[in-house]
Amino acid sequence: QLQLQESGPRLVKPSETLSLNCTVSGVSISGSSDYWGWIRQPPGKGLEWIGSIYYTGITNYNPSLWRRVTMSVDTSENQLSLKLSSVTAADTAIYYCARRNYDKVAFDMWGQGTKVTVSS
Amino acid sequence: DIVMTQSPDSLALSLGERATINCKSSQTVLSTSSNNHYLAWYQQKPGQPPKLLIYWASTRASGVPARFSGSGSGTDFTLTIDSLQAEDVAVYYCQQFFNTPHFGGGTKVEI
């Protein structure tokens, strides 16, 4: 059964880089046509797509964040990673990783999310 | 970018009533190559990640009760919940995948 689990520091200082990992279990990242995405949700607000990555390293980023976002994939560890640089309080959010199903063209499986707070 | 606009922002209904949530895209989300609308609906309950309800605008995801249905075409889409149940209290989001993915602002459904 496919599971996704986000991990990383819960507290990041302003101007520093937020770094998160997403461990995928139950399916090989490199074994399908699916993309893998990161989505965030500020406290009490809606969902914002951050970007998506294919196992070959092909990425698509939200134009509003692309200057600060780097996504990568480690197929040997079956893990995704997200880096967001120069963070501010506005980057405080729950960060989710999810699978973008190739056929359904939708995020059909989500991790539980990890809350990251940007504060000094 | 294709902007998604949901309405209403919130909805308060009684058990057994029908909930209707609208989602409008600023451009078509119809893929002419697949003849599918790249429009999905998600349900998010408090403290939980979103759950996929509907994809291709009208196809229910596995395990989703039949009281949930999606409809629409072009730029106007609707999520309908027939006979609202207590467990349907949640925020519902539409999302387009035609190009840069964007979510609608969400509709909160309360009993």
Side-chain angles (χ1 to χ4, degrees), chain A residues 1-4 24-27 99 109:
Chain A
Q1 183 179 353
L2 172 63
Q3 289 188 318
L4 301 95
V24 179
S25 58
V27 70
R99 179 179 73 175
M109 294 296 294

Side-chain angles (χ1 to χ4, degrees), chain B residues 25-77:
Chain B
S25 59
S26 58
Q27 302 172 41
T28 183
V29 294
L30 173 64
S31 167
T32 53
S33 60
S34 67
N35 201 35
N36 286 317
H37 290 89
Y38 289 165
L39 187 286
W41 288 96
Y42 301 88
Q43 174 194 63
Q44 186 178 32
K45 297 181 179 181
Q48 296 184 19
K51 172 189 172 183
L52 178 65
L53 290 178
I54 302 284
Y55 59 95
W56 297 344
S58 61
T59 301
R60 268 190 306 277
S62 176
V64 174
R67 63 180 181 274
F68 291 92
S69 62
S71 62
S73 62
T75 61
D76 292 282
F77 302 90

Side-chain angles (χ1 to χ4, degrees), chain A residues 39 41 45-49 52 60-64 94 96 100 102-113, chain B residues 1 36 38-40 42 44 47-52 54-56 61-62 93 95 97-98 100-105:
Chain A
I39 301 99
Q41 185 171 36
K45 296 189 178 180
L47 301 165
E48 180 181 33
W49 173 75
S52 296
N60 292 297
Y61 297 149
N62 187 321
S64 68
I94 297 173
Y96 296 100
R100 200 217 82 168
Y102 176 80
D103 292 317
K104 297 171 185 170
V105 195
F107 288 119
D108 68 337
M109 294 296 294
W110 295 66
Q112 285 300 306
Chain B
D1 286 5
N36 286 317
Y38 289 165
L39 187 286
Y42 301 88
Q44 186 178 32
Q48 296 184 19
K51 172 189 172 183
L52 178 65
I54 302 284
Y55 59 95
W56 297 344
S62 176
Y93 296 92
Q95 184 199 17
F97 257 114
F98 187 78
T100 304
H102 278 297
F103 292 90

Side-chain angles (χ1 to χ4, degrees), chain A residues 16-70:
Chain A
E16 294 189 347
T17 295
L18 178 160
S19 295
L20 295 174
N21 289 322
C22 174
T23 300
V24 179
S25 58
V27 70
S28 170
I29 289 176
S30 58
S32 71
S33 301
D34 302 320
Y35 269 73
W36 303 87
W38 289 93
I39 301 99
R40 69 180 183 177
Q41 185 171 36
K45 296 189 178 180
L47 301 165
E48 180 181 33
W49 173 75
I50 300 171
S52 296
I53 187 167
Y54 193 54
Y55 78 92
T56 58
I58 296 172
T59 54
N60 292 297
Y61 297 149
N62 187 321
S64 68
L65 296 170
W66 74 270
R67 285 186 175 86
R68 299 194 291 131
V69 173
T70 303

